[in-house]
């Protein structure tokens, strides 16, 4: 067995460790693995081009970035913060837990592109989360703001990751079905999706508790700063 093509994995690890741009790192890794596997350069380039064309639909989200940039330039983040400030009963925990519920339910029906980090978290959810955190303490530190943004992004990722496994037409579900079929285990996509439902519910509960605990930490920090200022 030829183990030399595995050097492509080393190229990816080294490139990511050095924080190089992921796109050229992955392309270089593919070239290294292909050449070491004995492929000719024209055939390898043709394979890369075919793979890119077959996966071009994955780049559709890029079309939304210019529109989001124009909205942010027009003050979308500021309007979201102002709107959040007028909602007196909306706390940080209620905002993020509500978004987690919506994100996970939509993912269960395959609507994973309705929300996301670029189109929802950055321009809307994160600014609204910061505004909700400012209700706890008006003078948020930069570290607190970064943590609010991180929790908002994590909430989006968790909602999609665990919700989409319940959708029977997801590629990952079909991959699991094919893997078990190769080993003589007959499973339907519906049964796999139903077994993923308890995990999705557990993920929702755990992340909701983490959000609530994060809000409690912000409240304790705010009380400490208030005493120090007094």
């Amino acid at each position: 067995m030829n183990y030399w093509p595995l050097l492509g994995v080393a190229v990816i690890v080294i490139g990511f460790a050095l924080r190089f741009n992921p796109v050229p790192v992955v392309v270089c890794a593919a070239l290294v693995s292909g050449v070491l596997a004995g492929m000719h350069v024209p055939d390898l380039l043709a394979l890369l081009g075919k793979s890119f064309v077959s996966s071009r639909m994955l780049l559709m989200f890029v079309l939304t970035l210019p529109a989001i940039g124009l909205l942010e330039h027009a003050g979308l983040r500021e309007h979201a913060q102002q709107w959040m400030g007028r909602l007196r009963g909306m706390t940080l925990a209620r905002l993020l837990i509500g978004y987690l519920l919506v994100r996970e339910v939509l993912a269960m029906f395959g609507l994973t592109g309705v929300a996301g980090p670029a189109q929802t978290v950055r321009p809307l959810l994160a600014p609204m989360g910061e505004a909700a955190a400012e209700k706890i303490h008006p003078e948020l530190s930069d570290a607190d703001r970064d943590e609010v943004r991180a929790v908002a992004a994590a909430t989006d990722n968790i909602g999609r990751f665990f919700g989409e496994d319940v959708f029977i037409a997801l590629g990952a579900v079909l991959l699991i079905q094919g893997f078990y079929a190769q080993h003589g285990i007959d499973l339907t996509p519906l049964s796999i999706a139903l077994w993923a439902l308890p995990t999705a519910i557990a993920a929702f509960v755990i992340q909701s508790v983490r959000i609530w605990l994060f809000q409690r930490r912000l409240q304790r920090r705010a009380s400490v700063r208030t005493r120090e200022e007094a």
Side-chain angles (χ1 to χ4, degrees):
M1 182 177 294
N2 184 12
Y3 291 100
W4 287 109
L6 295 179
L7 287 178
V9 178
V11 173
I12 292 179
V13 173
I14 295 173
F16 285 1
L18 297 177
R19 297 186 178 182
F20 291 150
N21 191 306
V23 175
V25 168
V26 173
V27 173
C28 290
L31 292 174
V32 170
S33 296
V35 171
L36 294 177
M39 294 183 64
H40 297 291
V41 175
D43 295 336
L44 181 58
L45 294 177
L47 178 61
L48 290 175
K50 181 180 178 181
S51 301
F52 175 80
V53 171
S54 62
S55 304
R56 63 187 183 276
M57 290 300 295
L58 298 177
L59 299 177
M60 287 297 293
F61 77 93
V62 176
L63 299 178
T64 65
L65 297 182
I68 294 172
L70 290 174
L71 290 174
E72 287 193 14
H73 182 71
L76 177 63
R77 294 170 59 89
E78 290 75 12
H79 284 295
Q81 289 177 332
Q82 294 173 3
W83 181 61
M84 185 65 196
R86 292 194 293 266
L87 298 176
R88 299 183 179 275
M90 182 64 70
T91 63
L92 177 61
R94 290 175 182 175
L95 171 68
L96 295 181
I97 293 174
Y99 178 82
L100 174 64
L101 177 62
V102 173
R103 180 67 160 140
E104 197 163 352
V105 171
L106 289 176
M108 289 179 182
F109 289 95
L111 302 175
T112 57
V114 174
Q119 61 267 41
T120 306
V121 176
R122 174 183 166 84
L124 290 174
L125 186 62
M128 292 174 68
E130 292 178 38
E134 288 175 353
K135 294 180 181 180
I136 300 174
H137 193 275
E139 300 297 331
L140 283 179
S141 64
D142 292 338
D144 289 338
R145 292 185 183 276
D146 289 340
E147 196 168 359
V148 170
R149 296 165 185 167
V151 173
T155 300
D156 180 86
N157 289 333
I158 291 172
R160 170 176 176 164
F161 184 84
F162 290 97
E164 65 182 2
D165 287 341
V166 183
F167 184 57
I168 60 175
L170 181 70
V173 174
L174 300 179
L175 179 64
I176 294 172
Q177 182 193 21
F179 175 81
Y180 278 107
Q182 291 177 359
H183 293 78
I185 302 175
D186 187 19
L187 292 176
T188 63
L190 180 59
S191 63
I192 297 174
L194 290 177
W195 277 106
L197 186 60
T199 305
I201 295 174
F204 174 80
V205 174
I206 293 172
Q207 179 63 11
S208 298
V209 173
R210 293 180 68 238
I211 292 171
W212 182 79
L213 292 176
F214 172 64
Q215 179 176 272
R216 294 279 295 177
R217 289 199 303 272
L218 286 180
Q219 292 171 342
R220 287 196 296 268
R221 294 174 192 170
S223 62
V224 171
R225 291 170 186 169
T226 303
R227 288 197 299 267
E228 291 176 352
E229 293 172 357

